[in-house]
Amino acid sequence: AAPRPAHGCGSGALLGRFGVLLQALLALCAFSTLMLKRFKEPKAERRPWRIWFYDTSKQAIGALFIHFANVFLSDLTEEDPCSLYLINFILDATLGMLLIWLGVKVVSWIVQHKKYTYLVFGEYGDPPQAAAWIGQCILYLLIMVFEKTVISLVLLIPGWTKLQQILLGYIPNPQLELVLVMFVVPFIVNAIMFWVVDSLIMRKYKQKDTLDINGSTEAPRARRTEESQVLLSPDMDFDQSESDQDISGLWGTNQKMKQPSYQVVI
């Protein structure tokens, strides 16, 4: 077997004490962006904590699967594990993100076509059901397995060794390389990915195009049209109030001829 490059991090560095500490710090900082996203939502549309947990926990499970799969794949060969992990991570953040988006769209279409209401991402029932959350977690995890399988097949294409040398070959310190690979780059990219994916899988929960009025569902546009028709109807008592009519009747004066008028609301 060929020896490992002297500049790279050694075997088992990703799961060493320092590597595990960086991974724990990464998880704390990355998932804090999801909490920040919740507080950035409008108050009228802000998710309750239980719904927020159901939405974000799916991402947590998927991210943990991808992370440990990358750590496992990075330590299979005699190459620099830090460089291999970074390549896996970059592919997950680019091609993998596209595959996740495609997987969510396909799964959402299938469950809506089959009318599996509780398997629609972001819909948990009223009150929220844990069974719906478990089913959606399984679906999301299957999407992650599909994404990681495709990325692993892409890594079989020759030529990635040269990219490894370009990415981190200029860093002589293994500890610094580990910090860049396990914390700095993943934190920036994960924060963006979590924000985007959270918006994707909770969109159907936030968007409600109908209003429930007295037990019936009515579209807001239809309500506005109906109100406009009422406001545009003839107003036979526009020129004079009933009180004025009574007073004029007591004094024996003739009431004014009232013609239909229209009130136009712009």
Side-chain angles (χ1 to χ4, degrees):
R4 292 182 184 271
H7 68 273
C9 57
S11 176
L14 299 180
L15 293 177
R17 181 177 299 178
F18 185 62
V20 172
L21 178 63
L22 289 176
Q23 294 173 53
L25 185 61
L26 170 65
L28 178 63
C29 294
F31 284 105
S32 64
T33 60
L34 292 174
M35 186 174 294
L36 175 63
K37 182 178 182 297
R38 179 186 180 274
F39 287 110
K40 294 289 290 183
E41 296 171 1
K43 289 186 177 181
E45 300 177 351
R46 185 173 297 170
R47 291 167 289 178
W49 282 110
R50 186 176 182 180
I51 300 298
W52 176 86
F53 171 77
Y54 281 169
D55 286 340
T56 56
S57 58
K58 292 195 289 285
Q59 283 205 76
I61 295 173
L64 287 175
F65 168 78
I66 295 296
H67 172 74
F68 286 111
N70 288 342
V71 171
F72 174 76
L73 294 173
S74 300
D75 223 13
L76 284 180
T77 67
E78 295 297 324
E79 301 293 335
D80 175 19
C82 288
S83 298
L84 282 175
Y85 181 89
L86 185 60
I87 291 175
N88 273 278
F89 186 81
I90 292 175
L91 287 174
D92 288 330
T94 52
L95 177 60
M97 189 66 192
L98 178 61
L99 293 173
I100 293 172
W101 176 83
L102 180 63
V104 170
K105 290 296 184 181
V106 171
V107 170
S108 299
W109 181 84
I110 293 175
V111 297
Q112 289 180 3
H113 182 70
K114 297 294 184 179
K115 297 181 179 180
Y116 299 145
T117 306
Y118 285 164
L119 293 181
V120 177
F121 288 118
E123 297 289 345
Y124 307 102
D126 187 16
Q129 302 293 324
W133 168 71
I134 294 174
Q136 293 177 33
C137 286
I138 294 174
L139 286 179
Y140 189 76
L141 186 58
L142 290 176
I143 295 174
M144 295 296 103
V145 172
F146 165 74
E147 183 267 346
K148 195 66 243 178
T149 301
V150 174
I151 296 300
S152 300
L153 293 176
V154 172
L155 284 173
L156 296 178
I157 300 175
W160 292 108
T161 304
K162 295 181 179 180
L163 181 59
Q164 292 176 227
Q165 298 174 357
I166 295 174
L167 287 176
L168 298 173
Y170 60 91
I171 302 177
N173 191 335
Q175 299 291 333
L176 178 60
E177 182 176 341
L178 192 61
V179 170
L180 289 174
V181 169
M182 298 298 293
F183 181 74
V184 177
V185 176
F187 170 69
I188 297 174
V189 179
N190 273 332
I192 299 174
M193 289 182 62
F194 288 163
W195 199 291
V196 172
V197 175
D198 185 60
S199 299
L200 180 64
I201 63 178
M202 56 96 61
R203 185 176 301 162
K204 293 184 179 301
Y205 173 76
K206 287 180 62 177
Q207 291 182 348
K208 294 182 179 179
D209 296 330
T210 59
L211 298 176
D212 188 11
I213 303 174
N214 296 327
S216 62
T217 303
E218 184 178 5
R221 182 175 295 178
R223 292 189 64 210
R224 290 195 297 268
T225 304
E226 184 178 349
E227 291 173 357
S228 300
Q229 293 175 354
V230 173
L231 292 175
L232 289 171
S233 62
D235 185 5
M236 302 302 296
D237 296 328
F238 181 76
D239 291 338
Q240 191 174 7
S241 63
E242 293 181 359
S243 60
D244 292 334
Q245 294 178 26
D246 295 338
I247 295 174
S248 60
L250 291 175
W251 286 95
T253 60
N254 294 327
Q255 295 183 353
K256 296 180 180 180
M257 297 296 295
K258 295 182 284 298
Q259 298 178 352
S261 61
Y262 295 87
Q263 181 180 1
V264 180
V265 178
I266 300 178

